[in-house]
Amino acid sequence: MMLEIARFWASIAHFNPRLQRYEIHGVMGPDEFHEKYPGAPQGGLRNNAYTNVMVAWLCDIAGKLPSLLSAGSTQGLRARLGIGDDELALWQDMSRRMFVPFHADGIISQFEGYGDLEEPRLGRLPREVREHPAARTGSCARRATTPTATRSPSRPTR
């Protein structure tokens, strides 16, 4: 399954010769609030960090997977799926040269262009959200009007 998924991503990714990196356009990452760029007629983002990092990881594993099997199993698997040396080399190259967008301060950007998005304003939120008791206490209001880093907060341990 991993080999076929690597094939899928290799068919979607393209090599950017200017950056010397592979890029993936037209995807939506795990943040379902950003499915397309503001005003864009079509959905999809460029270089979602989570997607690109996971594809790099997958391609690294997929490129090495046949070598972890016995010689007979490797030959049979590669013959049955039609996996050539060039395909394994592509996956390894993608794993090492996948583009991941960063902000100027060194924090990984959620996707290419994330830093150019307008900050959300509390007044633009639907009335039921603005008038929610949590918004009046200040905790939501503070978060909705304060710029946030693109990192996830630490999760408490149990």
Side-chain angles (χ1 to χ4, degrees):
M1 184 183 290
M2 292 179 79
L3 301 176
E4 291 297 337
I5 295 169
R7 277 185 162 161
F8 166 77
W9 285 114
S11 75
I12 298 296
H14 68 274
F15 186 73
N16 181 329
R18 184 178 59 79
L19 297 176
Q20 292 293 297
R21 298 278 180 222
Y22 290 90
E23 297 186 314
I24 300 174
H25 294 183
V27 298
M28 179 178 69
D31 172 10
E32 296 173 355
F33 292 106
H34 294 106
E35 61 200 38
K36 67 178 186 173
Y37 292 97
Q42 295 180 330
L45 304 168
R46 292 181 309 276
N47 295 310
N48 174 271
Y50 179 84
T51 301
N52 287 19
V53 168
M54 292 307 294
V55 169
W57 172 82
L58 173 74
C59 285
D60 181 53
I61 298 295
K64 293 175 182 173
L65 187 64
S67 68
L68 301 175
L69 304 173
S70 67
S73 295
T74 297
Q75 290 171 350
L77 176 67
R78 289 181 65 177
R80 188 175 50 194
L81 297 178
I83 298 173
D85 291 339
D86 56 337
E87 195 167 20
L88 293 174
L90 172 63
W91 296 341
Q92 285 300 298
D93 196 41
M94 286 176 62
S95 77
R96 291 182 183 94
R97 297 202 295 170
M98 184 62 66
F99 178 76
V100 177
F102 282 83
H103 294 284
D105 60 3
I107 294 175
I108 295 175
S109 181
Q110 191 164 334
F111 51 83
E112 192 175 343
Y114 180 81
D116 299 329
L117 297 177
E118 193 175 313
E119 286 289 331
R121 301 286 184 251
L122 190 58
R124 288 183 166 162
L125 295 173
R127 183 178 53 80
E128 59 272 9
V129 174
R130 289 192 317 264
E131 294 177 3
H132 189 275
R136 287 194 295 269
T137 64
S139 62
C140 285
R142 214 173 18 260
R143 273 187 252 132
T145 58
T146 304
T148 58
T150 57
R151 321 178 242 213
S152 297
S154 299
R155 294 181 184 241
T157 56
R158 294 182 193 234

